[in-house]
Amino acid sequence: QARCFCGIRKQLPSCHADHRLQLPKPKNCDKKHYSNTIIYTFMLKQIVNGRILTPQGWISGGSVIYDDSRILEVRNNSYLVSEATEVIDAKGMTVAPGGVEIHIHGGGGRDFMEGTEDAFREAIKAHMMHGTTSIFPTLSSSTIPMIEAAAETCTKLMQEPDSPVLGLHLEGHYLNMRK
């Protein structure tokens, strides 16, 4: 899914000021009326007056510009962007990207080994409330049917749009069928 913000052409070199993006015609498309111009709308938000953690260090009094789910730009000032539909004043508080949980067995009193959609959703919800933005549920060594049930649930959740579940972490030394 392409994103478009005029101030950040370096991320989308084909971006035009009117927020149009030229995309190549898919190889399997035989329609003569195919249009390769897509117009994107987005809800641009800006967090201002924050103490921002970046890979290069801290920025005080800076701002973060983002859309639905992606950080588009981090600035060392709090000048407002005219395209922003919402401005959030951090009032000097810390602004940091969300965490990616790569090894977690559950949360909120639930375990991923339960294998149910309800258990997965409750555990994921507990982590999302505390700053996790993406998660790799971890499955412990167990019976093959339990692992298969949990893996099936994980696969189902991964296929949902904007799912925080990015993959599955299988743990244990009992996965070798010859031993």
Side-chain angles (χ1 to χ4, degrees):
Q1 190 177 36
R3 301 288 181 192
C4 178
F5 174 57
C6 289
I8 311 173
R9 287 196 184 101
K10 62 183 180 264
Q11 289 183 351
L12 296 169
S14 60
C15 175
H16 302 285
D18 60 358
H19 301 294
R20 292 174 186 263
L21 204 56
Q22 300 291 320
L23 300 175
K25 182 176 181 178
K27 291 178 185 176
N28 60 353
C29 179
D30 60 356
K31 296 183 179 178
K32 294 178 182 171
H33 62 275
Y34 176 80
S35 171
N36 69 345
T37 302
I38 298 174
I39 301 172
Y40 288 93
T41 59
F42 52 89
M43 301 299 287
L44 197 63
K45 299 176 184 176
Q46 184 176 14
I47 302 172
V48 298
N49 300 321
R51 183 172 178 259
I52 304 165
L53 177 62
T54 72
Q56 293 76 32
W58 290 95
I59 297 174
S60 292
S63 67
V64 177
I65 300 166
Y66 66 101
D67 67 1
D68 296 331
S69 61
R70 300 194 192 284
I71 295 172
L72 301 175
E73 185 177 359
V74 176
R75 295 180 169 188
N76 62 1
N77 61 59
S78 286
Y79 298 130
L80 297 180
V81 175
S82 61
E83 295 91 346
T85 57
E86 182 179 352
V87 177
I88 301 161
D89 188 350
K91 299 178 182 174
M93 295 192 310
T94 299
V95 178
V100 177
E101 188 58 73
I102 62 171
H103 185 140
I104 193 72
H105 291 273
R110 303 303 295 267
D111 191 312
F112 293 122
M113 286 306 302
E114 292 176 48
T116 66
E117 193 173 322
D118 184 56
F120 268 71
R121 290 192 188 283
E122 286 295 318
I124 292 166
K125 179 182 172 185
H127 288 280
M128 301 292 281
M129 289 174 30
H130 298 284
T132 298
T133 58
S134 303
I135 194 165
F136 289 81
T138 302
L139 304 183
S140 304
S141 297
S142 188
T143 66
I144 297 297
M146 285 183 74
I147 292 173
E148 287 175 340
E152 186 177 307
T153 300
C154 185
T155 300
K156 179 181 179 183
L157 295 180
M158 286 174 60
Q159 294 171 348
E160 294 178 355
D162 300 320
S163 175
V165 181
L166 300 181
L168 181 65
H169 178 198
L170 290 174
E171 177 182 79
H173 55 282
Y174 297 111
L175 298 176
N176 186 339
M177 300 304 280
R178 288 183 256 153
K179 291 189 176 191

